[in-house]
Amino acid sequence: MKMKTMLYKNLRTSTRSAWLPAVALCAMLILTACNNATKSKSSNAETTHDATASEDGFVSIFDGQTLDGWEGADGHWKVENGNIVGMVTTENPLDANTFLIWREKQPSNFELKLDFKISENGNSGVQYRSTELQDPPLALKGYQADIDGANTYTGQNYEERGRGFLAKRGEIAELTNGNEPNITGSLGDSDELKSKINKADWNTLHLIIQGNHLKHFVNGVLMSEVTDNDTELRKMKGHLGLQIHTGPAMEVHFRNIQYKDLSN
């Protein structure tokens, strides 16, 4: 009986020893297959993301860390916490409006998307198709998507150092040679549209600029629309820039600046 027991134990041990390598091999194969599936899934996700970004056509023109590719007045522009910050302080006031100018190109037909946040007393804007002045330095003349802390003007189309108000918030306007803007339609009540704009918090600005048709959106809402048929004064190409305005101490922040060329 003792001998049978020993033979049984030996047989069980031998059988278990024979199965262990096979079990380990199976586990290894299963683990390898899972890892490969995970890598394949991750690779496919990355490929899809890249393809979407490419098809979307927008590229970042601010690296989130430096002002490379941009030029502005010392002491009035900096990068902080991934944002471009424009500042006017009591110690460093402005004698004239100044701009942070994008130096990479002078856009003609394009889309621009960015986030902005501005202090209560702030006055700013996004300049486009603009001419650079030499006196004062780093100043621009041209179309502007207006931004202010009280949201009195935010969303309108204003021509800096030019024709002034082209389309106030809620207006669809047409411009002809030498004439005041002709208001041809409405996008809604200005105060109602103002309620769509966050005060002292982040908002998204989206510009669609193509041919002589200029559209300003804030938080996905069309705020102003201009058709510029003034062949003498309109601009079809020029500088892109961010503004800080003369006045009391203020700050304006910009982030996620995305550009899409519509020229082709």
Side-chain angles (χ1 to χ4, degrees):
M1 184 67 180
K2 185 176 181 181
M3 180 66 69
K4 285 178 68 176
T5 302
M6 289 179 63
L7 287 172
Y8 173 74
K9 287 182 177 178
N10 289 338
L11 179 61
R12 187 174 63 178
T13 303
S14 174
T15 303
R16 184 173 61 186
S17 299
W19 275 97
L20 282 174
V23 172
L25 179 60
C26 287
M28 185 178 298
L29 289 173
I30 292 170
L31 182 60
T32 301
C34 289
N35 286 340
N36 287 338
T38 301
K39 287 180 181 178
S40 175
K41 185 176 180 181
S42 175
S43 175
N44 289 338
E46 289 173 5
T47 301
T48 302
H49 175 74
D50 290 343
T52 301
S54 177
E55 290 169 5
D56 194 39
F58 282 91
V59 295
S60 176
I61 59 174
F62 165 52
D63 63 19
Q65 299 178 338
T66 71
L67 292 178
D68 289 353
W70 299 77
E71 183 182 5
D74 291 340
H76 289 288
W77 299 98
K78 66 179 180 179
V79 177
E80 184 176 78
N81 299 323
N83 305 328
I84 290 177
V85 183
M87 305 161 292
V88 178
T89 64
T90 53
E91 297 78 18
N92 192 17
L94 281 175
D95 294 325
N97 299 346
T98 192
F99 297 80
L100 183 70
I101 303 172
W102 186 44
R103 291 301 190 191
E104 298 299 318
K105 65 189 303 183
Q106 294 187 38
S108 175
N109 299 317
F110 67 95
E111 288 188 51
L112 186 77
K113 293 180 180 180
L114 59 77
D115 299 330
F116 69 88
K117 180 172 67 172
I118 187 167
S119 60
E120 185 176 358
N121 292 326
N123 192 337
S124 180
V126 176
Q127 204 78 16
Y128 61 93
R129 285 187 180 175
S130 295
T131 302
E132 184 175 1
L133 306 178
Q134 299 305 311
D135 185 21
L138 297 169
L140 294 177
K141 172 185 176 181
Y143 301 112
Q144 181 187 120
D146 217 335
I147 297 169
D148 71 295
N151 289 328
T152 302
Y153 307 111
T154 301
Q156 73 176 7
N157 193 320
Y158 179 82
E159 189 174 54
E160 175 86 358
R161 296 177 178 269
R163 291 168 288 178
F165 297 101
L166 303 184
K168 295 179 181 179
R169 186 171 57 232
E171 293 181 344
I172 301 173
E174 183 177 341
L175 308 174
T176 54
N177 289 15
N179 295 320
E180 294 291 320
N182 179 28
I183 308 306
T184 59
S186 173
L187 299 168
D189 178 73
S190 179
D191 288 338
E192 176 64 24
L193 293 172
K194 179 180 177 178
S195 71
K196 309 295 184 183
I197 306 171
N198 301 319
K199 192 171 182 179
D201 204 350
W202 289 103
N203 294 278
T204 298
L205 176 70
H206 182 193
L207 308 182
I208 301 179
I209 310 303
Q210 192 159 28
N212 64 342
H213 201 199
L214 321 172
K215 299 169 78 174
H216 297 179
F217 297 80
V218 178
N219 297 330
V221 180
L222 183 58
M223 297 285 172
S224 64
E225 185 173 351
V226 168
T227 300
D228 196 346
N229 292 321
D230 191 332
T231 55
E232 294 179 3
L233 297 178
R234 73 184 182 193
K235 289 293 297 289
M236 304 303 287
K237 181 179 181 179
H239 288 289
L240 178 69
L242 309 175
Q243 184 204 57
I244 45 177
H245 202 284
T246 58
M250 59 151 284
E251 278 193 4
V252 60
H253 295 237
F254 299 96
R255 69 183 184 188
N256 301 329
I257 306 176
Q258 304 286 322
Y259 170 84
K260 179 179 181 179
D261 194 336
L262 299 178
S263 296
N264 297 327

